[in-house]
Amino acid sequence: MGISFPEVTRFITIKNTGPDDGSADSNLRVGFSNNGVGASNYLILANQESYSADWRIMKVYLRTDSGSSYNATASIIAGLTVDPREWDNASRRLW
């Protein structure tokens, strides 16, 4: 599953919140392309594990690890960058 962001991120935190039925552990693959999480270019988050980094991305891909028999759920927090060309004159004075 791909998660898109409306702007480029400054940072991102992803947490594997566990299987959707609460029964057992379920590993979560995290990557930057659908091909990556489907092949070998990903990192694995165990149940209740989180990862934070200063990633500049527009999309992140999540997938239940093939070794898991349950679907994983996730929580994502991302700080977004702002294009300075979108600021109005009033907000520029506040900075």
Side-chain angles (χ1 to χ4, degrees):
M1 165 189 285
I3 309 295
S4 297
F5 302 102
E7 302 286 340
V8 174
T9 62
R10 279 185 73 119
F11 69 87
I12 188 167
T13 298
I14 303 168
K15 181 177 182 179
N16 178 353
T17 54
D20 55 4
D21 65 358
S23 60
D25 290 346
S26 184
N27 292 332
L28 180 69
R29 292 182 184 187
V30 178
F32 302 108
S33 73
N34 196 38
N35 289 340
V37 293
S40 61
N41 294 319
Y42 56 87
L43 61 97
I44 293 180
L45 296 178
N47 194 27
Q48 300 303 317
E49 185 177 19
S50 65
Y51 183 79
S52 297
D54 292 333
W55 291 339
R56 303 315 191 259
I57 57 173
M58 292 283 298
K59 196 169 193 176
V60 65
Y61 292 82
L62 307 175
R63 180 177 174 175
T64 301
D65 189 44
S66 59
S68 301
S69 57
Y70 297 96
N71 290 329
T73 57
S75 169
I76 299 175
I77 298 171
L80 304 177
T81 60
V82 177
D83 184 344
R85 295 172 291 185
E86 295 177 8
W87 295 347
D88 62 15
N89 289 331
S91 66
R92 262 188 239 151
R93 285 193 300 270
L94 296 174
W95 293 95

